[in-house]
């Protein structure tokens, strides 16, 4: 059993209003010097171990978790 | 300038309907043996380097990014 972390983020060229809202709110909470805030999804799942694990998970992310037109994803196996 | 990754997830004891929906959809897409799917937020930001970086970011996550009643967060500095 492997624990897999998948991060799904908007591509850099796609506007991220949620990230911008956070960036604008931070100074009023006393946090200065923060830039480039981007918000995405973090998916954690447990998968049965097998040889092609990373390939399978990437396929899964591509088909179900991310919209490849506007999002990119990274996979981390623990 | 440090790049910081913050993962905000629902606490384990809180029901995660989005994760359950994904888990139920996976077999029909041909992915078997996946369990315990949980979905949360992934926030990426660039912060000016300073000594108390991790502490500052944890404070930020606690005040603005996560709801500490139902969510927990992890911070990773790159």
């Amino acid at each position: 059993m492997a624990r897999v972390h998948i991060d799904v983020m908007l591509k850099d060229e796609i506007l991220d209003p949620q990230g911008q809202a956070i960036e604008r709110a931070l100074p009023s909470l006393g946090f200065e010097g923060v830039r480039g805030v981007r918000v995405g999804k973090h998916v954690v799942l447990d998968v049965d171990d097998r040889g092609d694990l990373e390939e399978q998970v990437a396929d899964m992310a591509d088909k179900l978790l991310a919209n490849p037109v506007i999002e990119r994803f990274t996979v981390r196996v623990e």
Side-chain angles (χ1 to χ4, degrees), chain A residues 6-8 41 43 45 54-68 71-75:
Chain A
I6 304 163
D7 293 324
V8 181
K41 274 180 294 185
V43 183
L45 36 85
E54 292 220 26
E55 195 183 313
Q56 278 271 317
V57 172
D59 197 25
M60 199 186 293
D62 200 50
K63 280 191 181 145
L64 184 67
L65 304 175
N67 172 355
E71 293 173 324
R72 59 181 173 72
F73 60 86
T74 52
V75 174

Tab-separated table of all heavy atoms in Angstrom, chain A residues 6-8 41 43 45 54-68 71-75:
chain	number	residue	atom	x	y	z
A	6	ILE	N	-1.244	14.030	-4.779
A	6	ILE	CA	-1.361	14.658	-6.100
A	6	ILE	C	-1.722	16.129	-5.897
A	6	ILE	O	-2.700	16.452	-5.218
A	6	ILE	CB	-2.458	13.969	-6.935
A	6	ILE	CG1	-2.170	12.472	-7.045
A	6	ILE	CG2	-2.562	14.607	-8.327
A	6	ILE	CD1	-3.365	11.661	-7.486
A	7	ASP	N	-0.907	17.014	-6.453
A	7	ASP	CA	-1.209	18.446	-6.409
A	7	ASP	C	-1.711	18.877	-7.774
A	7	ASP	O	-1.043	18.650	-8.783
A	7	ASP	CB	0.051	19.253	-6.066
A	7	ASP	CG	0.514	18.993	-4.655
A	7	ASP	OD1	-0.352	18.808	-3.775
A	7	ASP	OD2	1.738	18.963	-4.420
A	8	VAL	N	-2.883	19.475	-7.787
A	8	VAL	CA	-3.455	19.967	-9.043
A	8	VAL	C	-3.498	21.488	-8.972
A	8	VAL	O	-4.166	22.060	-8.106
A	8	VAL	CB	-4.873	19.410	-9.270
A	8	VAL	CG1	-5.443	19.915	-10.598
A	8	VAL	CG2	-4.881	17.899	-9.219
A	41	LYS	N	-5.680	22.130	-5.771
A	41	LYS	CA	-6.213	21.010	-5.008
A	41	LYS	C	-5.087	20.084	-4.575
A	41	LYS	O	-4.079	19.942	-5.262
A	41	LYS	CB	-7.178	20.195	-5.879
A	41	LYS	CG	-8.589	20.716	-5.882
A	41	LYS	CD	-9.472	19.848	-6.769
A	41	LYS	CE	-9.066	19.931	-8.225
A	41	LYS	NZ	-9.982	19.201	-9.139
A	43	VAL	N	-4.800	16.132	-3.393
A	43	VAL	CA	-5.522	14.873	-3.246
A	43	VAL	C	-4.579	13.836	-2.654
A	43	VAL	O	-3.450	13.678	-3.127
A	43	VAL	CB	-6.052	14.377	-4.612
A	43	VAL	CG1	-6.872	13.106	-4.435
A	43	VAL	CG2	-6.872	15.454	-5.300
A	45	LEU	N	-4.323	9.742	-1.562
A	45	LEU	CA	-4.995	8.452	-1.695
A	45	LEU	C	-4.033	7.302	-1.436
A	45	LEU	O	-2.818	7.459	-1.548
A	45	LEU	CB	-5.679	8.307	-3.061
A	45	LEU	CG	-5.044	8.900	-4.322
A	45	LEU	CD1	-4.051	7.912	-4.879
A	45	LEU	CD2	-6.106	9.218	-5.342
A	54	GLU	N	3.204	4.954	-10.535
A	54	GLU	CA	3.261	6.376	-10.903
A	54	GLU	C	2.515	6.638	-12.210
A	54	GLU	O	1.817	7.632	-12.351
A	54	GLU	CB	4.718	6.844	-11.019
A	54	GLU	CG	5.426	6.862	-9.684
A	54	GLU	CD	6.332	8.075	-9.496
A	54	GLU	OE1	6.076	9.108	-10.127
A	54	GLU	OE2	7.294	7.971	-8.724
A	55	GLU	N	2.671	5.726	-13.143
A	55	GLU	CA	2.011	5.849	-14.439
A	55	GLU	C	0.490	5.790	-14.269
A	55	GLU	O	-0.259	6.598	-14.830
A	55	GLU	CB	2.509	4.701	-15.324
A	55	GLU	CG	2.224	4.858	-16.809
A	55	GLU	CD	2.699	3.633	-17.570
A	55	GLU	OE1	3.846	3.195	-17.316
A	55	GLU	OE2	1.936	3.115	-18.389
A	56	GLN	N	0.033	4.829	-13.463
A	56	GLN	CA	-1.399	4.661	-13.187
A	56	GLN	C	-1.984	5.915	-12.541
A	56	GLN	O	-3.046	6.387	-12.907
A	56	GLN	CB	-1.598	3.470	-12.229
A	56	GLN	CG	-1.606	2.123	-12.896
A	56	GLN	CD	-3.000	1.710	-13.348
A	56	GLN	OE1	-3.951	1.903	-12.604
A	56	GLN	NE2	-3.112	1.193	-14.549
A	57	VAL	N	-1.254	6.439	-11.557
A	57	VAL	CA	-1.762	7.604	-10.826
A	57	VAL	C	-1.788	8.828	-11.736
A	57	VAL	O	-2.731	9.625	-11.710
A	57	VAL	CB	-0.914	7.868	-9.555
A	57	VAL	CG1	-1.309	9.175	-8.899
A	57	VAL	CG2	-1.076	6.722	-8.566
A	58	ALA	N	-0.763	8.974	-12.583
A	58	ALA	CA	-0.750	10.098	-13.522
A	58	ALA	C	-1.934	10.004	-14.478
A	58	ALA	O	-2.599	11.011	-14.786
A	58	ALA	CB	0.565	10.108	-14.298
A	59	ASP	N	-2.235	8.793	-14.909
A	59	ASP	CA	-3.366	8.554	-15.801
A	59	ASP	C	-4.676	8.924	-15.106
A	59	ASP	O	-5.561	9.573	-15.680
A	59	ASP	CB	-3.345	7.060	-16.187
A	59	ASP	CG	-4.198	6.770	-17.403
A	59	ASP	OD1	-4.413	7.695	-18.211
A	59	ASP	OD2	-4.642	5.624	-17.551
A	60	MET	N	-4.778	8.525	-13.847
A	60	MET	CA	-5.937	8.827	-13.010
A	60	MET	C	-6.134	10.335	-12.873
A	60	MET	O	-7.233	10.870	-13.051
A	60	MET	CB	-5.651	8.224	-11.626
A	60	MET	CG	-6.813	7.993	-10.721
A	60	MET	SD	-6.190	7.448	-9.111
A	60	MET	CE	-5.486	5.856	-9.488
A	61	ALA	N	-5.045	11.024	-12.565
A	61	ALA	CA	-5.102	12.481	-12.387
A	61	ALA	C	-5.520	13.154	-13.687
A	61	ALA	O	-6.339	14.077	-13.702
A	61	ALA	CB	-3.736	13.005	-11.936
A	62	ASP	N	-4.989	12.648	-14.768
A	62	ASP	CA	-5.272	13.226	-16.081
A	62	ASP	C	-6.732	13.049	-16.458
A	62	ASP	O	-7.352	13.927	-17.060
A	62	ASP	CB	-4.363	12.532	-17.110
A	62	ASP	CG	-4.215	13.353	-18.367
A	62	ASP	OD1	-3.917	14.555	-18.251
A	62	ASP	OD2	-4.405	12.798	-19.458
A	63	LYS	N	-7.302	11.888	-16.104
A	63	LYS	CA	-8.677	11.581	-16.521
A	63	LYS	C	-9.731	12.139	-15.575
A	63	LYS	O	-10.831	12.511	-15.999
A	63	LYS	CB	-8.857	10.063	-16.610
A	63	LYS	CG	-8.300	9.475	-17.896
A	63	LYS	CD	-8.749	8.036	-18.060
A	63	LYS	CE	-8.178	7.428	-19.333
A	63	LYS	NZ	-7.855	6.012	-19.165
A	64	LEU	N	-9.428	12.137	-14.272
A	64	LEU	CA	-10.490	12.447	-13.308
A	64	LEU	C	-10.213	13.681	-12.451
A	64	LEU	O	-11.130	14.445	-12.134
A	64	LEU	CB	-10.699	11.233	-12.390
A	64	LEU	CG	-11.836	11.350	-11.370
A	64	LEU	CD1	-13.185	11.378	-12.050
A	64	LEU	CD2	-11.789	10.213	-10.369
A	65	LEU	N	-8.961	13.901	-12.072
A	65	LEU	CA	-8.695	14.907	-11.048
A	65	LEU	C	-8.358	16.276	-11.605
A	65	LEU	O	-8.656	17.299	-10.991
A	65	LEU	CB	-7.556	14.426	-10.133
A	65	LEU	CG	-7.789	13.059	-9.467
A	65	LEU	CD1	-6.558	12.650	-8.697
A	65	LEU	CD2	-8.993	13.101	-8.557
A	66	ALA	N	-7.705	16.313	-12.763
A	66	ALA	CA	-7.287	17.608	-13.316
A	66	ALA	C	-7.961	17.847	-14.657
A	66	ALA	O	-8.343	16.916	-15.354
A	66	ALA	CB	-5.771	17.615	-13.491
A	67	ASN	N	-8.130	19.107	-14.996
A	67	ASN	CA	-8.573	19.493	-16.326
A	67	ASN	C	-7.313	19.897	-17.098
A	67	ASN	O	-6.787	20.995	-16.886
A	67	ASN	CB	-9.543	20.673	-16.205
A	67	ASN	CG	-9.892	21.233	-17.559
A	67	ASN	OD1	-9.352	20.824	-18.578
A	67	ASN	ND2	-10.812	22.187	-17.570
A	68	PRO	N	-6.826	19.023	-17.972
A	68	PRO	CA	-5.510	19.265	-18.592
A	68	PRO	C	-5.450	20.519	-19.466
A	68	PRO	O	-4.359	20.943	-19.847
A	68	PRO	CB	-5.256	17.994	-19.409
A	68	PRO	CG	-6.548	17.280	-19.481
A	68	PRO	CD	-7.412	17.736	-18.371
A	71	GLU	N	-5.157	23.037	-16.156
A	71	GLU	CA	-4.456	22.631	-14.935
A	71	GLU	C	-3.291	21.693	-15.250
A	71	GLU	O	-3.279	21.017	-16.268
A	71	GLU	CB	-5.428	21.918	-13.985
A	71	GLU	CG	-6.514	22.826	-13.432
A	71	GLU	CD	-7.580	22.079	-12.634
A	71	GLU	OE1	-7.925	20.939	-13.003
A	71	GLU	OE2	-8.087	22.638	-11.663
A	72	ARG	N	-2.328	21.697	-14.341
A	72	ARG	CA	-1.231	20.718	-14.405
A	72	ARG	C	-1.174	20.034	-13.031
A	72	ARG	O	-1.652	20.588	-12.050
A	72	ARG	CB	0.096	21.406	-14.719
A	72	ARG	CG	0.500	22.448	-13.718
A	72	ARG	CD	1.792	23.157	-14.021
A	72	ARG	NE	1.952	24.240	-13.048
A	72	ARG	CZ	2.252	24.074	-11.760
A	72	ARG	NH1	2.457	22.871	-11.288
A	72	ARG	NH2	2.350	25.116	-10.943
A	73	PHE	N	-0.589	18.867	-12.989
A	73	PHE	CA	-0.550	18.162	-11.709
A	73	PHE	C	0.834	17.577	-11.465
A	73	PHE	O	1.602	17.355	-12.406
A	73	PHE	CB	-1.612	17.059	-11.653
A	73	PHE	CG	-1.457	16.012	-12.703
A	73	PHE	CD1	-0.624	14.929	-12.496
A	73	PHE	CD2	-2.122	16.109	-13.907
A	73	PHE	CE1	-0.467	13.957	-13.474
A	73	PHE	CE2	-1.980	15.145	-14.894
A	73	PHE	CZ	-1.148	14.068	-14.673
A	74	THR	N	1.167	17.381	-10.205
A	74	THR	CA	2.391	16.686	-9.837
A	74	THR	C	2.029	15.536	-8.899
A	74	THR	O	1.094	15.658	-8.103
A	74	THR	CB	3.383	17.616	-9.109
A	74	THR	OG1	2.706	18.254	-8.021
A	74	THR	CG2	3.908	18.695	-10.032
A	75	VAL	N	2.753	14.441	-9.030
A	75	VAL	CA	2.480	13.235	-8.244
A	75	VAL	C	3.672	12.946	-7.346
A	75	VAL	O	4.818	13.044	-7.790
A	75	VAL	CB	2.220	12.029	-9.181
A	75	VAL	CG1	2.071	10.745	-8.384
A	75	VAL	CG2	0.989	12.271	-10.040
